[in-house]
């Protein structure tokens, strides 16, 4: 094996917070050989990004600091260098691309200018040479027209194009290490694939080592040599990729893998991890996964497991693999009720269509000129037909900008459609007047994507839920409303006494539960789930998906599930409709679409999905 | 772009007419010509005939909006509104009530002294405030930053009058560096201008520095700044190149709107430093109850504000490539 390009030894990065010292990264060690791809995976808040920022020495010195450990670049420790020397490494020897291509480029400088900046900074080049190099980099990241892109401003490019520009900037100085922090999370699945292939190809030609950070386990399976699972600031397991996915040893890794929704899980409840990640300011003395672990033993809470090589190159930090610990007196299993996974039987008699959209169009006028006359239309939704059957889930999939959210909102009249009809309970609801619509509104609800911004931070959970009840269920008096709010909170797995809390007191998954409770409180028959689980970590996502399925079974609800995550679709949907440029290009039963996609776009979409 | 400017100017037309009508209502209905005459001729010992004479001399003898005695177009034209307010639309300000001077030519001569103090005050103010704000952003979170912010708040909390009188006392009277007040033309004007400019900059610094600092800090926490740092740029370069140009967008909103008002002068500064500018002119008119002048200045202020808003919108295109006007 060649000497590692980067070697991290017992890295500790802490942050000063009002709650005490947050040990975001707490003793992490790994190394990456030349040309290798090393993946750090884990849920949000486990310390992946902080590890990356520590490697490139970009921890904000106002609150964070490297409390210990070494980062060796080609054998020499860079943590001890002065700021000036560190700057010579950043963007030159180690460069980084980020999650948000939409905001990572400076909006007021041209693309060419931003690429040249890095080149001029680290390589002594004349302006002419720098320009030639920048154009060459643009060509390398597969722009057909580098000259034109060179003079463009970032806002004129799509997310994928911007990420390619970021890659061009990062690789312009031929770095030894490229850190890719969730490089494709914000991108559409087809573009995701394109970006990952591009990184791989450029890495191979340049011999750059890659540190890939992601929460998407499937992505790692196809793109990394070694995978390292982080939990609460520590590495819990590390192994060659194939080995890890074949034989995950740590209980956390096992749970993570089994909570990923996939077609094989259809009809079953997904595996979930109880509880939440502990706060970085108050870690337990022992194993940090204790309390959530399904194989916890006496002593796990107090004795900290160390990372040991269990098999060749397969490292694990768990007492289950510690012979000394197992032989000790404390190693009896903590008895805990086994999580059981009951099969969901199709208990419901599935009826006919509950909602039917016919020729639905939502066009936005484009106004131009002195008098702002309508010069054309953006055809966001351009004549679609959808049928959602009673007690079933229809998934509406497609890329961002394909019109899926507009379609969903148009169906429940949150956006007014241009033409077409939506038949619900035998009536075209698009033609209903205000009073008649009032009777329909409670039956059709929506759950939004972002549990952080879709709840008003100034209202308590009670007020958030009650607001809808007052308008849509005017018959209920105060007492019965309160009872209803409590019941719907309990239905989503929260307790009724959480009513007086504000949204910020809840975790992301709990907030999404509040969002679901709000929709459920008015007794809907049909719910539009607009990317309802997209912003959640995989273990939380599994909880919410299970919840949605359970509610569907109990209350006979019908869902229109809008999502770009095909794993979720194949797990939860009965039928799928694929949307592209405002039109439905293909629809049918989920198995049918996934096994035998007919439309070219569906095929492209499915082949781009990374799989475990 | 051109069509955008044209449309904005067209939008301004109804607003200007509205401003004209509302000012006229305020000045001719709320405060009738009868009252004006009484105030100007003195409250006591005024005979009704003296009031009539005054109204006759100054053109206030007509009915305010409609003259029912006349026929045809004259019903509208033979009114105070048409004779006094409508000409404002083509910047004919008429004559003052008290001294019968030509307000238009007075504005033309007096706007230059106003500009002579407000232009350097404004330019120096913006640059000095921006400079200190960036310095604080560079040293954000340090003791220097925190104590400077506290100092800014202290400076904001003190009245402008304190700075004026303090400046005149220390720099003018005790140190005898500058004349306390007055004005001259040409080269000699400099010695009179320095003190008001210095006082003006200092009195505005607290608010300005704090505002720009907030703008910079907002920019510094954005993703593109992280990218710039990851490229290996120095903190100074990150701040002065990447953050500055982006910060100009909110800064311009604040700054450009006040540019037309540089002609308008400052009421307090001009009065205290005896600068014969428009601010002084307005204060004098208010004190002497010369409503023709006050009305002209109120109207002029509204026009300058509308111009300022249009300029602000246009200035966005200069710094932000994302803004395209159609």
């Amino acid at each position: 094996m060649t000497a590692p390009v980067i070697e991290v030894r017992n890295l500790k990065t802490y942050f000063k917070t009002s709650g005490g010292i947050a040990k975001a990264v707490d003793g992490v060690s790994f190394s990456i050989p030349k040309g290798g791809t090393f993946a750090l995976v884990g849920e949000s808040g486990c310390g992946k990004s902080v590890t990356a920022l520590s490697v490139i020495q970009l921890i904000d010195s106002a609150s964070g600091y490297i409390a210990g450990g070494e980062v060796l670049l080609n054998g020499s420790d860079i943590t001890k260098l002065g700021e000036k020397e560190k700057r010579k490494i950043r963007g030159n020897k180690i460069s980084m691309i980020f999650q948000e291509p939409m905001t990572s480029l400076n909006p007021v400088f041209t693309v060419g200018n931003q690429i040249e900046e890095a080149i001029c900074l680290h390589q002594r080049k004349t302006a002419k040479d720098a320009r030639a190099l920048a154009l060459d980099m643009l060509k390398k990241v597969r722009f057909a027209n580098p000259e034109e892109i060179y003079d463009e401003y970032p806002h004129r490019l799509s997310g994928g194009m911007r990420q390619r520009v970021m890659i061009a900037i990062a690789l312009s100085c031929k770095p030894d290490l490229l850190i890719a922090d969730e490089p494709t999370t914000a991108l559409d699945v087809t573009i995701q694939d394109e970006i990952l292939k591009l990184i791989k190809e450029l890495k191979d030609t340049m011999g750059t080592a890659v540190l890939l950070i992601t929460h998407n386990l499937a992505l790692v399976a196809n793109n990394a040599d070694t995978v390292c699972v982080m939990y609460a600031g520590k590495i819990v397991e590390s192994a060659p990729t194939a080995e890890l996915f074949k034989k995950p040893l740590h209980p956390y890794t096992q749970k993570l893998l089994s909570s990923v929704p996939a077609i094989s899980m259809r009809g079953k409840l997904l595996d979930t991890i109880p509880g939440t990640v502990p706060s970085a300011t108050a870690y337990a003395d022992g194993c940090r996964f204790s309390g959530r672990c399904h194989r916890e033993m006496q002593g796990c809470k107090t004795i900290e497991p160390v990372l040991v090589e269990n098999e060749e190159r397969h490292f694990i930090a768990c007492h289950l693999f510690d012979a000394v610990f197992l032989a000790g007196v404390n190693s009896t299993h903590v008895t805990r009720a086994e999580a059981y996974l009951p099969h969901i039987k199709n208990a419901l008699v599935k009826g006919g269509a509950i909602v039917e959209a016919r020729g639905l169009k939502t066009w936005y006028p484009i106004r131009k000129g002195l008098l702002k006359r309508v010069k054309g239309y953006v055809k966001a939704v351009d004549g679609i037909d959808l049928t959602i059957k009673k007690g079933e889930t229809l998934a509406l999939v497609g890329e961002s900008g394909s019109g899926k959210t507009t379609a969903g909102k148009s169906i429940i009249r949150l956006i007014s459609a241009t033409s077409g009809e939506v038949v619900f309970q035998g009536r075209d609801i698009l033609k209903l007047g205000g009073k008649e619509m009032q009777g329909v509104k409670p039956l059709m609800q929506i759950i939004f994507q972002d549990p952080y911004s879709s709840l008003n931070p100034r209202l308590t959970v009670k007020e958030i839920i009650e607001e809808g009840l007052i308008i849509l269920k005017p018959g209920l008096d105060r007492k019965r409303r309160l009872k209803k709010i409590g019941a719907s909170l309990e239905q989503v797995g929260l307790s009724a006494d959480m009513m007086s809390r504000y949204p910020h007191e809840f975790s992301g998954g709990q907030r999404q539960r509040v969002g679901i409770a709000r929709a459920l409180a008015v007794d809907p028959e049909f719910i539009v789930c607009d990317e309802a689980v997209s912003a959640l970590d995989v273990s939380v996502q599994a909880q919410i998906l299970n919840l949605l399925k359970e509610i569907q079974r109990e209350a006979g609800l019908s869902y229109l599930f809008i999502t770009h995550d095909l794993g979720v679709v194949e797990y939860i949907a009965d039928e799928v409709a694929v949307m592209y440029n405002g039109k439905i290009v293909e629809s049918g039963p989920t198995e049918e679409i996934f096994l035998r996609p007919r439309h070219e776009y569906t095929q492209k979409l499915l082949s781009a999905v990374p799989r475990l | 772009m051109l069509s955008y400017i044209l449309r904005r100017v067209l939008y301004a037309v109804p607003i200007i007419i509205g401003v004209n009508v509302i000012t006229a209502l305020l000045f001719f209905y709320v405060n009738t010509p009868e009252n004006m005459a009484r105030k100007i001729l003195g409250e006591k010992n005024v005979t009704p005939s003296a009031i009539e004479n005054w109204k006759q001399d100054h053109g206030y003898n007509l009915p305010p909006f409609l003259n029912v005695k006349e026929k045809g177009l004259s019903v509208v034209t033979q009114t105070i509104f048409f004779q006094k307010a409508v000409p404002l639309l083509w910047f004919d300000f008429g004559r003052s009530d008290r001294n019968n001077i030509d307000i238009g030519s007075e504005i033309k001569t007096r706007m230059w002294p106003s500009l002579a103090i407000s232009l350097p005050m404004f330019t120096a103010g913006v640059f000095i405030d921006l400079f200190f704000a960036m310095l604080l952003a560079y040293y954000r979170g340090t003791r220097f930053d925190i104590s400077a912010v506290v100092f800014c708040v202290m400076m904001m909390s003190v009245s402008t009058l304190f700075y004026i009188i303090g400046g005149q006392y220390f720099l003018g009277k005790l140190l005898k560096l500058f004349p306390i007040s007055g004005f001259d033309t040409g080269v000699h004007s400099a010695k009179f201008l320095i003190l008001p400019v210095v006082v003006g900059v200092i009195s505005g610094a607290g608010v300005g520095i704090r505002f720009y600092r907030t703008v910079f800090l907002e920019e510094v926490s954005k993703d593109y700044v992280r990218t710039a740092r990851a490229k290996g740029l120095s903190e100074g370069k990150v701040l002065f190149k990447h953050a500055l140009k982006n910060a100009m967008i909110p800064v311009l909103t604040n700054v450009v709107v006040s540019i037309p008002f540089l002609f308008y002068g400052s009421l307090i500064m001009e009065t205290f430093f005896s600068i014969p500018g428009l601010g002084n002119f307005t204060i004098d008119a208010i004190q002497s109850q010369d409503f023709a002048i006050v009305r002209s200045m109120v109207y002029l202020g509204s026009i300058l504000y509308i111009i300022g808003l249009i300029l602000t919108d246009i200035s966005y295109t200069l710094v932000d490539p994302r803004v395209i006007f159609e």
Side-chain angles (χ1 to χ4, degrees):
Chain A
M1 213 170 110
T2 49
V5 168
I6 197 98
E7 191 177 353
V8 174
R9 285 187 193 155
N10 200 23
L11 178 73
K12 291 181 179 176
T13 308
Y14 295 171
F15 290 88
K16 284 175 237 157
T17 68
S18 53
I21 292 198
K23 298 174 177 173
V25 175
D26 200 15
V28 162
S29 306
F30 60 87
S31 66
I32 313 174
K34 188 170 157 56
T37 304
F38 182 86
L40 266 183
V41 299
E43 296 182 282
S44 46
C46 70
K48 314 183 291 288
S49 289
V50 176
T51 307
L53 290 172
S54 308
V55 169
I56 197 173
Q57 302 289 312
L58 264 182
I59 295 295
D60 185 16
S61 58
S63 58
Y65 58 98
I66 293 184
E70 294 174 323
V71 177
L72 306 175
L73 176 71
N74 296 318
S76 60
D77 185 10
I78 59 171
T79 57
K80 306 282 186 297
L81 295 178
E83 186 53 31
K84 215 171 166 188
E85 272 77 39
K86 283 181 183 171
R87 283 210 303 269
K88 283 187 192 147
I89 290 168
R90 266 180 229 141
N92 189 18
K93 301 277 177 211
I94 304 176
S95 58
M96 187 160 176
I97 53 177
F98 301 94
Q99 173 169 1
E100 280 299 331
M102 303 312 266
T103 53
S104 291
L105 291 167
N106 192 328
V108 301
F109 292 103
T110 61
V111 162
N113 193 322
Q114 297 189 50
I115 302 176
E116 266 178 26
E117 194 177 26
I119 296 173
C120 291
L121 191 67
H122 298 296
Q123 311 175 24
R124 298 217 170 131
K125 296 276 186 216
T126 59
K128 211 176 140 197
D129 287 349
R131 187 188 152 90
L133 248 168
L135 287 171
D136 183 49
M137 277 319 295
L138 284 172
K139 209 186 280 168
K140 277 196 179 131
V141 294
R142 300 220 194 99
F143 280 107
N145 47 351
E147 302 268 350
E148 283 162 46
I149 297 293
Y150 184 91
D151 290 319
E152 279 297 3
Y153 285 96
H155 72 276
R156 313 242 311 151
L157 309 179
S158 70
M161 287 160 100
R162 288 186 216 191
Q163 200 61 300
R164 267 147 65 196
V165 171
M166 280 298 291
I167 295 172
I169 293 174
L171 295 180
S172 62
C173 296
K174 301 196 170 49
D176 294 328
L177 175 69
L178 172 70
I179 302 173
D181 187 358
E182 305 269 8
T184 59
T185 308
L187 301 173
D188 280 321
V189 62
T190 47
I191 300 174
Q192 237 175 49
D193 194 42
E194 200 178 293
I195 295 287
L196 287 168
K197 279 188 182 140
L198 184 68
I199 293 177
K200 193 170 161 52
E201 187 190 295
L202 291 173
K203 172 202 84 141
D204 288 344
T205 54
M206 292 184 177
T208 309
V210 175
L211 171 56
L212 176 68
I213 291 172
T214 181
H215 68 279
N216 188 338
L217 293 162
L219 200 92
V220 170
N222 304 322
N223 289 289
D225 311 324
T226 310
V227 181
C228 185
V229 181
M230 272 188 90
Y231 182 79
K234 278 188 177 295
I235 291 176
V236 295
E237 186 167 4
S238 153
T241 309
E243 162 92 7
L244 186 101
F245 284 98
K246 205 168 68 196
K247 211 169 75 182
L249 297 178
H250 199 283
Y252 177 65
T253 317
Q254 291 169 351
K255 281 281 181 183
L256 264 190
L257 288 169
S258 61
S259 56
V260 175
I263 202 151
S264 57
M265 297 298 293
R266 276 176 77 88
K268 299 175 204 162
L269 281 180
L270 289 170
D271 207 359
T272 60
I273 306 174
T276 50
V277 182
S279 157
T281 51
Y283 286 134
D285 294 333
C287 177
R288 289 175 186 179
F289 193 53
S290 62
R292 300 180 75 193
C293 183
H294 58 291
R295 303 195 58 185
E296 194 174 327
M297 296 172 283
Q298 294 277 334
C300 278
K301 265 201 169 60
T302 46
I303 303 164
E304 191 172 352
V306 284
L307 195 68
V308 289
E309 193 163 14
N310 187 57
E311 283 163 48
E312 203 199 336
R313 295 178 60 215
H314 195 151
F315 294 85
I316 181 152
C318 178
H319 292 313
L320 282 170
F321 301 91
D322 182 350
V324 180
F325 182 88
L326 288 174
V329 277
N330 290 332
S331 63
T332 47
H333 267 274
V334 174
T335 43
R336 179 171 290 169
E338 270 303 304
Y340 66 99
L341 305 174
H343 279 264
I344 297 177
K345 289 178 221 105
N346 285 332
L348 276 162
V349 186
K350 285 178 185 170
I354 180 161
V355 179
E356 209 171 335
R358 292 188 203 129
L360 189 70
K361 282 184 187 170
T362 307
W363 290 5
Y364 296 109
I366 304 168
R367 292 171 192 277
K368 273 190 179 153
L370 190 59
L371 297 171
K372 292 247 160 212
R373 270 194 287 238
V374 177
K375 289 283 163 66
Y377 292 93
V378 175
K379 297 174 180 175
V381 177
D382 195 18
I384 60 165
D385 300 309
L386 283 177
T387 306
I388 298 120
K389 291 184 190 140
K390 193 161 170 47
E392 290 201 353
T393 303
L394 172 71
L396 189 56
V397 300
E399 297 179 357
S400 49
S402 61
K404 18 182 227 309
T405 295
T406 311
K409 287 184 176 169
S410 300
I411 286 172
I412 59 166
R413 279 187 71 175
L414 269 184
I415 295 177
S416 38
T418 314
S419 68
E421 48 185 40
V422 175
V423 181
F424 178 70
Q425 294 182 333
R427 291 184 294 177
D428 177 10
I429 60 161
L430 298 186
K431 303 222 164 42
L432 293 183
K435 253 201 189 125
E436 288 171 303
M437 193 58 207
Q438 204 64 15
V440 175
K441 272 182 188 166
L443 302 175
M444 306 179 104
Q445 287 294 312
I446 185 164
I447 305 165
F448 298 99
Q449 169 170 10
D450 193 343
Y452 290 91
S453 57
S454 61
L455 300 174
N456 187 337
R458 299 270 177 272
L459 297 183
T460 60
V461 165
K462 172 187 156 269
E463 287 165 330
I464 287 169
I465 301 176
E466 193 174 30
E467 209 174 21
L469 280 172
I470 292 172
I471 301 162
L472 297 176
K473 297 264 172 187
L476 292 181
D477 58 22
R478 215 183 105 76
K479 223 174 171 180
R480 275 162 61 203
R481 272 205 305 270
L482 276 181
K483 221 172 141 192
K484 186 85 201 155
I485 296 167
S488 55
L489 282 174
E490 268 157 20
Q491 200 177 355
V492 298
L494 299 171
S495 73
D497 54 359
M498 290 176 174
M499 228 184 264
S500 55
R501 292 198 201 164
Y502 286 92
H504 73 263
E505 295 174 69
F506 294 92
S507 70
Q510 284 178 318
R511 276 186 237 195
Q512 197 57 299
R513 285 172 195 264
V514 172
I516 297 171
R518 182 199 58 76
L520 287 178
V522 292
D523 302 321
E525 292 182 2
F526 169 64
I527 297 182
V528 176
C529 305
D530 187 4
E531 302 275 12
V533 296
S534 305
L536 305 171
D537 271 319
V538 59
S539 68
V540 182
Q541 176 181 299
Q543 294 171 7
I544 299 293
L545 285 175
N546 284 344
L547 174 69
L548 287 171
K549 278 219 137 175
E550 273 169 44
I551 297 167
Q552 181 168 48
R553 198 168 55 149
E554 283 165 18
L557 286 174
S558 313
Y559 296 136
L560 175 63
F561 214 90
I562 298 169
T563 184
H564 66 274
D565 187 338
L566 294 166
V568 172
V569 173
E570 56 184 30
Y571 168 66
I572 202 169
D574 298 293
E575 299 208 11
V576 181
V578 183
M579 208 166 167
Y580 183 65
N581 278 344
K583 292 199 160 82
I584 303 258
V585 294
E586 188 166 2
S587 66
T590 308
E591 288 92 343
E592 185 70 25
I593 299 273
F594 274 77
L595 296 174
R596 284 177 293 280
R598 274 194 294 272
H599 194 273
E600 196 189 340
Y601 175 71
T602 318
Q603 289 164 357
K604 191 179 154 203
L605 198 66
L606 289 174
S607 68
V609 180
R611 287 178 191 281
L612 281 177
Chain B
M1 179 73 188
L2 206 67
S3 84
Y4 174 80
I5 297 175
L6 202 63
R7 195 168 61 241
R8 282 300 302 264
V9 172
L10 288 179
Y11 282 162
V13 171
I15 301 174
I16 291 173
I17 294 173
V19 167
N20 195 331
V21 172
I22 292 169
T23 358
L25 280 174
L26 277 174
F27 278 90
F28 302 135
Y29 262 112
V30 179
N31 184 32
T32 58
E34 189 91 4
N35 282 337
M36 285 191 228
R38 221 176 266 280
K39 293 241 171 73
I40 284 177
L41 298 172
E43 295 288 343
K44 290 173 193 163
N45 310 323
V46 189
T47 59
S49 63
I51 290 175
E52 269 321 302
N53 282 338
W54 184 88
K55 278 164 75 178
Q56 189 82 39
D57 290 345
H58 293 85
Y60 287 112
N61 53 338
L62 298 166
F65 283 95
L66 283 177
N67 194 340
V68 285
K69 288 179 201 148
E70 299 284 335
K71 289 209 171 68
L73 259 185
S74 305
V75 175
V76 191
T77 56
Q78 289 303 311
T79 58
I80 296 180
F81 176 70
F82 197 84
Q83 302 284 331
K84 297 271 178 192
V86 175
L88 288 177
L89 292 176
W90 47 89
F91 297 105
D92 176 359
F93 294 103
R95 298 194 154 266
S96 75
D97 290 341
R98 200 174 271 274
N99 304 324
N100 205 30
I101 52 169
D102 179 6
I103 302 174
S105 69
E106 193 74 6
I107 290 175
K108 267 182 223 149
T109 45
R110 278 171 174 268
M111 71 186 205
W112 301 112
S114 282
L115 199 63
I117 97 156
S118 57
L119 187 66
M121 197 159 83
F122 170 80
T123 333
V126 169
F127 280 100
I128 290 172
D129 293 357
L130 277 176
F131 174 77
F132 279 106
M134 284 177 84
L135 203 67
L136 296 189
Y138 186 89
Y139 289 107
R140 62 190 170 280
T142 61
R143 277 208 194 117
F144 168 67
D145 175 36
I146 294 162
S147 35
V149 171
V150 171
F151 189 68
C152 281
V153 174
M154 275 165 60
M155 283 177 68
M156 290 161 60
S157 319
V158 175
S159 153
T160 315
L161 295 176
F162 174 83
Y163 295 105
I164 295 175
I165 296 167
Q168 285 177 330
Y169 183 75
F170 285 105
L171 301 177
K173 191 164 180 229
L174 291 184
L175 299 174
K176 298 203 189 309
L177 291 174
F178 313 105
I180 290 169
S181 71
F183 189 74
D184 203 344
T185 49
V187 193
H188 301 292
S189 66
K191 67 174 180 201
F192 289 105
L193 291 179
I194 292 173
L195 184 59
V197 168
V198 168
V199 167
V201 169
I202 292 175
S203 70
V207 180
I209 294 172
R210 243 178 55 88
F211 172 70
Y212 296 140
R213 175 183 169 274
T214 317
V215 170
F216 281 124
L217 288 188
E218 166 95 31
E219 288 302 323
V220 163
S221 63
K222 289 197 177 158
D223 285 352
Y224 71 85
V225 167
R226 188 182 56 185
T227 307
R229 289 202 189 109
K231 278 180 183 174
L233 293 175
S234 64
E235 190 62 22
K237 198 118 192 240
V238 168
L239 216 55
F240 280 87
K241 186 179 170 191
H242 285 267
L244 178 62
K245 200 165 173 198
N246 280 284
M248 284 320 283
I249 299 161
V251 169
L252 281 176
T253 324
N254 199 40
V255 163
V256 176
V257 76
S258 53
I259 288 178
F261 279 92
L262 297 179
F263 292 101
Y264 204 75
S266 147
L267 301 183
I268 299 176
M269 298 291 273
E270 288 185 11
T271 315
F272 273 83
F273 289 103
S274 311
I275 312 282
L278 284 178
N280 215 336
F281 184 52
T282 314
I283 290 279
D284 283 347
I286 292 170
Q287 276 167 352
S288 63
Q289 312 271 350
D290 194 325
F291 293 99
I293 296 176
V294 177
R295 191 161 45 83
S296 303
M297 292 308 290
V298 168
Y299 177 73
L300 186 66
S302 322
I303 302 292
L304 291 176
Y305 191 62
I306 293 167
I307 296 173
L309 290 177
I310 297 177
L311 286 180
T312 307
D313 282 353
I314 294 171
S315 70
Y316 285 149
T317 51
L318 300 179
V319 291
D320 192 345
R322 286 166 297 185
V323 179
I324 295 167
F325 293 127
E326 283 192 349

